[in-house]
Amino acid sequence: MTDLIPAPVRIETGNGPGFVLDTGTGLEAGPGAEPAARWLRAAVGAATGLPLDARTGGTGGLQLRIRPGLGGPEAYRLTVDAGRVLVEGADSAGLFWGAQTFRQLLGPEAFRRAPVSGRRAWELPAVTVEDAPRFRWRGLMLDVARHFMPKEGVLRYLDLMAAHKLNVFHFHLTDDQGWRVEIERHPRLTEIGSWRARTKTGHRASPLWEEKPHGGYYTQDDIREIVAYAAERHITVVPEIDVPGHSQAAIAAYPELGNTDVIDTSALSVWDTWGINPNVLAPTDTTLRFYEGVLEEVLALFPSEFVHIGGDECPKEQWRRSETAQARIRELGLADEDELQSWFVRHFDTWLAARGRRLIGWDEILEGGLAEGAAVSSWRGYAGGIAAARAGHDVVMCPEQQVYLDHRQAPGPDEPVPIGWVRTLEDVYRFEPVPPELTPEEARHVLGTQANLWTEVMEDQARVDYQAFPRLAALCEVAWSALPAPAERDFAGFERRMAAHYRRLDALGVAYRPPAGPLPWQRRPGVLGRPIDGPPPRR
């Protein structure tokens, strides 16, 4: 029961008897600890059938305390002996992560939503766990634009993140294939932009189509619920609103946003296939004012420090042909279309900073320079993150060669819709977010890391589960634990701990990829992917 994931800083097993949790066990929450107590009663109480009644002034039972001097942010200490279970956190987040570790010690059945046996007592080993995270940004990016995930599925993923001590949910809400957040002043974004007539099945070279409408969106009340649910689990939701590329859904809803002097934007619909789309936003005042209005509503919904604006994969051909775009280049004294994109990004960088927020974008936003305070998601490899850190910008390391979980997990023919390089569980476990090229001062700009789940070929929750797990468990340990250098990491030990963790995932209903390979119903025979042979370049 001490097969913890992610691995803690220190775990010491005691010599004496442990604690027995039963119907008489009370739960005492000290000042500031009641939110963690509510979660324990709801989650662990449901799984065990134990009431965990509130107690005060006791010396035994389950006790929750906040101890500000315990350690750094999010640190906790968990002590189990024959007389009590004491969970202490340096802050409310640390206390919550300690409660998550407590649930792991109870065993896999504690991850269910109702009791499944007649157990009236739950034994915990005598143990002391001292722990704190390595990184402040431990994230998961979920793309709901390509394939929509209903609200209940998003809430479920927040629970899965919390169970793995991940604390940043990067919410990819807009793209060419769909606009997923209600904007009250621009209702056609969801009336038109949230639905496409059909969907490419498999990679964009596939001849297969699903000939039915696909779509959906989150109302503003849905977003408020998601953000509040995440906050209760100490997860920050970072929204992504893509500009100036990946924007055909918005242009289909409001054609004036596109390059109307180059193409008939009124003829565009929400895109039904995958790839890099040539239809990008026009660099006009109309577009700027439109997206300022969008972002005003986004800021009211998401209290996060960071707002992601995309900024990647913006083809320039329409701007080269557009007299409006060329006039803007001349007016601003820019050298070319690349500098025009930089101007576009810097406009929103300044706009967000004036409102107390920080812009973050994919590493293409480095081209042309960034304002102080902007941060970078390094996705094309390590190079963007290295350049950003050396320039004094904060970085989230998420290179596609390492932590794009839409990439295939094995080279065999049974992998469903194989995309990209083979990235095994061990590959993810040996990923190191801090490039060795950085000096200690530069390395302090690495906020952390995240796994990215792009859903072009993930048509439902089960497919998302298959691509995410078990590799997300490896990523959570990379993000949380103070691991040695990649070659020195004890992957065999991690696999042994995963044997227990698979039972937790089973209890949570996660449709993960089994170690022996996909189950028959997880395969997608005949659906074309885009596998890339050989090891990925480091870049």
Side-chain angles (χ1 to χ4, degrees), residues 61-131:
L62 177 56
Q63 300 176 359
L64 307 180
R65 300 280 187 271
I66 292 180
R67 306 283 190 206
L70 184 64
E74 302 183 82
Y76 71 88
R77 179 169 59 215
L78 170 63
T79 307
V80 181
D81 56 34
R84 68 176 180 176
V85 176
L86 175 62
V87 186
E88 301 169 286
D91 48 29
S92 57
L95 186 65
F96 181 73
W97 304 132
Q100 291 287 348
T101 297
F102 165 73
R103 181 166 69 156
Q104 287 198 22
L105 292 175
L106 287 171
E109 287 185 2
F111 288 77
R112 297 190 178 275
R113 296 189 181 186
V116 295
S117 69
R119 291 174 65 178
R120 299 180 63 82
W122 297 66
E123 297 182 9
L124 290 96
V127 68
T128 299
V129 180
E130 294 182 350
D131 208 2

Side-chain angles (χ1 to χ4, degrees), residues 35-76:
R38 284 198 301 270
W39 178 84
L40 275 170
R41 291 192 187 97
V44 174
T48 61
L50 302 179
L52 301 178
D53 292 329
R55 304 281 174 84
T56 56
T59 58
L62 177 56
Q63 300 176 359
L64 307 180
R65 300 280 187 271
I66 292 180
R67 306 283 190 206
L70 184 64
E74 302 183 82
Y76 71 88

Side-chain angles (χ1 to χ4, degrees), residues 145-294:
R146 274 52 176 271
H147 277 98
F148 178 65
M149 181 177 284
K151 180 188 69 175
E152 287 303 316
V154 174
L155 299 178
R156 172 179 176 267
Y157 257 83
L158 292 170
D159 280 328
L160 291 174
M161 289 179 63
H164 292 82
K165 299 185 174 71
L166 298 173
N167 69 341
V168 178
F169 181 53
H170 176 169
F171 206 8
H172 184 79
L173 288 163
T174 75
D175 217 296
D176 299 300
Q177 296 86 0
W179 185 285
R180 306 295 180 213
V181 56
E182 177 188 27
I183 302 297
E184 292 177 346
R185 73 188 70 185
H186 300 305
R188 294 207 304 272
L189 286 171
T190 47
E191 292 170 0
I192 295 171
S194 69
W195 289 91
R196 57 179 181 262
R198 62 175 188 167
T199 301
K200 173 72 72 172
T201 299
H203 181 251
R204 60 181 176 270
S206 168
L208 304 177
W209 293 88
E210 184 180 44
E211 297 286 352
K212 69 177 184 180
H214 175 85
Y217 67 92
Y218 309 103
T219 68
Q220 295 204 356
D221 279 345
D222 290 337
I223 294 293
R224 293 183 184 99
E225 179 182 357
I226 288 167
V227 169
Y229 195 85
E232 289 173 354
R233 287 147 183 80
H234 298 276
I235 296 171
T236 298
V237 184
V238 175
E240 181 177 351
I241 305 295
D242 262 302
V243 296
H246 288 289
S247 297
Q248 182 162 319
I251 297 169
Y254 292 91
E256 64 271 22
L257 297 175
N259 294 284
T260 56
D261 58 344
V262 173
I263 63 165
D264 179 9
T265 56
S266 65
L268 293 177
S269 59
V270 178
W271 212 26
D272 56 14
T273 189
W274 322 121
I276 299 176
N277 192 304
N279 296 303
V280 302
L281 296 174
T284 63
D285 289 343
T286 295
T287 300
L288 297 180
R289 300 294 88 75
F290 183 95
Y291 274 87
E292 287 170 359
V294 167

Side-chain angles (χ1 to χ4, degrees), residues 143-144 146-150 196 199-202 210 212 214-215 274 416-417 454-467 521-525 527:
D143 166 24
V144 296
R146 274 52 176 271
H147 277 98
F148 178 65
M149 181 177 284
R196 57 179 181 262
T199 301
K200 173 72 72 172
T201 299
E210 184 180 44
K212 69 177 184 180
H214 175 85
W274 322 121
V417 201
W454 301 104
T455 61
E456 286 94 334
V457 300
M458 300 180 213
E459 71 279 6
D460 56 29
Q461 178 177 284
R463 280 286 288 123
V464 174
D465 279 4
Y466 179 92
Q467 293 299 135
W521 54 86
Q522 293 175 320
R523 300 167 188 162
R524 297 292 186 274
V527 180

Side-chain angles (χ1 to χ4, degrees), residues 203 379-381 398-411 415-425 427-428 451-458 463-464 466-469 471 513 530-537 539:
H203 181 251
W379 77 274
R380 291 181 294 180
C398 50
E400 63 170 331
Q401 302 89 341
Q402 307 294 333
V403 290
Y404 268 36
L405 300 188
D406 47 307
H407 284 202
R408 58 192 173 133
Q409 302 183 61
E415 285 303 305
V417 201
I419 299 296
W421 294 284
V422 172
R423 293 288 83 193
T424 65
L425 181 66
D427 290 329
V428 176
N452 293 342
L453 273 171
W454 301 104
T455 61
E456 286 94 334
V457 300
M458 300 180 213
R463 280 286 288 123
V464 174
Y466 179 92
Q467 293 299 135
F469 290 98
R471 293 180 296 180
R513 181 190 188 276
R530 186 183 61 91
I532 304 175
D533 293 329
R539 284 207 294 270

